[in-house]
Every structure is written in structure tokens, then in C-alpha cells.
């Protein structure tokens, strides 16, 4: 088995790609992971062969079989490592799965705003659509601000997803969310201190 036998197709700026990279690092699989930068705006034949949806991330493991959707990839990596990212207790596990879904939805809403403003001409953009996505972000951040305790080990899939979603808001929205969310800011600082891969995977822009 080669050192880098896990090929990850994606962009460093994607919160979902970042989630897979951090999950691999936390699970001790980082040395086996190789990122192949992929542009979904002009998807090449390799991406489309691995995922006909043309979406990232896509992980190709030792078997050569592609695995996609970041939640499935995190489950796959956890399986390869023998566990570690999902609580063993059933109630805690489902709480964390809901947190992961919430964080992924937060990142999705932010991505939809970016796509609307980046890929549509001025006269074609829907301010109603952007406002709807921003409302999702505002509501979700308010709920998380009210419910997040300071970060504490162990690292879970939900925590990784939340950190990546907040990191994406920092990247694309200049960290505007921080002013009114001091508990979430503290949570993210604690997570970053505990998980070196968060800083190591921070996209340049």
C-alpha cells in the first residue's frame, strides 16, 4: 500500500473538501491523502467519471471505487481508521449527525449566495434568493450561538463540519458573522487550538 492511496478531488476553498481533509488528519490518515485540485465550473473527464453529478469532494480509495458527498466520505474515512469521529453512544451520535447536517446546511446557504453573485450577471441576480439564503445563515448562527458550549475533545464529525462552515463564512463574507456571535467565535478558537489541521487547511482565498 502506497503512502498516498487516498485521492481527494476538490478545491481547497470548499468547506466540504476542507471537512474531508481535516477528518483524514484527525483520524491519522493525513499522510495517505492526496488532494487533486478540481474546478467544478469546467469539470474534467476524471471528475465526471468518478461523480456524474460533477460535484466535489470525491474520494477515490485503494479499491478505485469513488466515494462522494462529504458526509459519506467522512464515514468512509472513519471506517478506514477504525472509528474515532462518531460518538459510540446512540443519543450523542445522532446529536452529532444533526450538528453535521446543520453545519453542512449553513455552508450550503453560503455557497449558494457566492454562486448567485459570482456566476450570474448583474441583471440576472435574485436579491430575494440571496436574502432567503442569508436568512438561513442568520437563523442557524443564532441557534448555534445559543447552544454551543466551549469546544472540548474528542473531535467529532459534527465539530469538524461546523468549524469548516464558520471558516467558509470567514473566507467569503469577511468574518462578518463574528461581531454578534462571541460564543461561536470562542468555540472556533478552541477548536482551532485543538485541531492543527484546521489552520493547515485554511484556504488562501
Amino acid at each position: 500500500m502506497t503512502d498516498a492511496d487516498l485521492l481527494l478531488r476538490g478545491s481547497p476553498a470548499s468547506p466540504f473538501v476542507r471537512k474531508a481533509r481535516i477528518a483524514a488528519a484527525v483520524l491519522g490518515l493525513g499522510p495517505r491523502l492526496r488532494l487533486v485540485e478540481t474546478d467544478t465550473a469546467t469539470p474534467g473527464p476524471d471528475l465526471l467519471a468518478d461523480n456524474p453529478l460533477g460535484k466535489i469532494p470525491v474520494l477515490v480509495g485503494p479499491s478505485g471505487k469513488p466515494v462522494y458527498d462529504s458526509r459519506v466520505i467522512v464515514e468512509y474515512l472513519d471506517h478506514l481508521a477504525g472509528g474515532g469521529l462518531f460518538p459510540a453512544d446512540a443519543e450523542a451520535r445522532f446529536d452529532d449527525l444533526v450538528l453535521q447536517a446543520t453545519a453542512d446546511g449553513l455552508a450550503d446557504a453560503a455557497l449558494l449566495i457566492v454562486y448567485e453573485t459570482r456566476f450570474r450577471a448583474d441583471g440576472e441576480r435574485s436579491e430575494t434568493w440571496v436574502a432567503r439564503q442569508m436568512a438561513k445563515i442568520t437563523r442557524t448562527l443564532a441557534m448555534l450561538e445559543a447552544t454551543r458550549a466551549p469546544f472540548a475533545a474528542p473531535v467529532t464529525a459534527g465539530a469538524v463540519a461546523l468549524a469548516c462552515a464558520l471558516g467558509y463564512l470567514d473566507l467569503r463574507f469577511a468574518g462578518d458573522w463574528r461581531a454578534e456571535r462571541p460564543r461561536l467565535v470562542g468555540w472556533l478558537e478552541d477548536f482551532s487550538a485543538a485541531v492543527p489541521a484546521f489552520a493547515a487547511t485554511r484556504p488562501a482565498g
Side-chain angles (χ1 to χ4, degrees):
M1 187 176 292
T2 61
D3 288 341
D5 60 347
L6 299 170
L7 183 152
L8 183 69
R9 300 193 191 281
S11 164
S14 163
F16 303 110
V17 173
R18 191 180 189 187
K19 181 170 72 163
R21 296 173 72 194
I22 293 174
V26 169
L27 291 165
L29 300 174
R32 294 176 57 181
L33 191 74
R34 178 168 64 94
L35 177 65
V36 177
E37 293 199 28
T38 305
D39 182 6
T40 56
T42 54
D46 290 341
L47 174 62
L48 296 178
D50 288 338
N51 182 356
L53 299 170
K55 299 178 69 173
I56 56 173
V58 177
L59 182 75
V60 182
S63 70
K65 182 183 293 186
V67 177
Y68 47 85
D69 185 277
S70 66
R71 277 179 255 185
V72 181
I73 290 173
V74 170
E75 288 266 10
Y76 177 77
L77 293 171
D78 191 73
H79 170 74
L80 282 184
L85 282 178
F86 297 93
D89 175 76
E91 183 175 359
R93 177 184 175 88
F94 282 105
D95 284 346
D96 196 67
L97 289 172
V98 171
L99 175 59
Q100 184 179 187
T102 302
D104 285 353
L106 179 63
D108 270 332
L111 276 164
L112 288 171
I113 293 173
V114 171
Y115 292 161
E116 185 73 14
T117 55
R118 179 181 295 175
F119 296 115
R120 289 191 189 275
D122 289 345
E124 297 175 350
R125 293 173 190 158
S126 170
E127 296 304 321
T128 300
W129 175 256
V130 170
R132 185 178 302 169
Q133 304 311 315
M134 189 58 71
K136 294 178 185 179
I137 292 172
T138 301
R139 288 194 305 269
T140 302
L141 289 175
M143 182 272 286
L144 291 167
E145 175 72 9
T147 58
R148 285 302 96 193
F151 174 78
V155 181
T156 64
V160 173
L162 177 55
C164 291
L166 296 175
Y168 190 73
L169 293 180
D170 279 339
L171 177 68
R172 296 299 189 218
F173 298 89
D176 290 344
W177 66 275
R178 290 173 169 265
E180 298 179 357
R181 312 295 179 200
R183 292 180 66 184
L184 269 183
V185 170
W187 183 93
L188 187 60
E189 289 174 349
D190 291 344
F191 179 92
S192 182
V195 183
F198 184 71
T201 58
R202 183 174 289 114

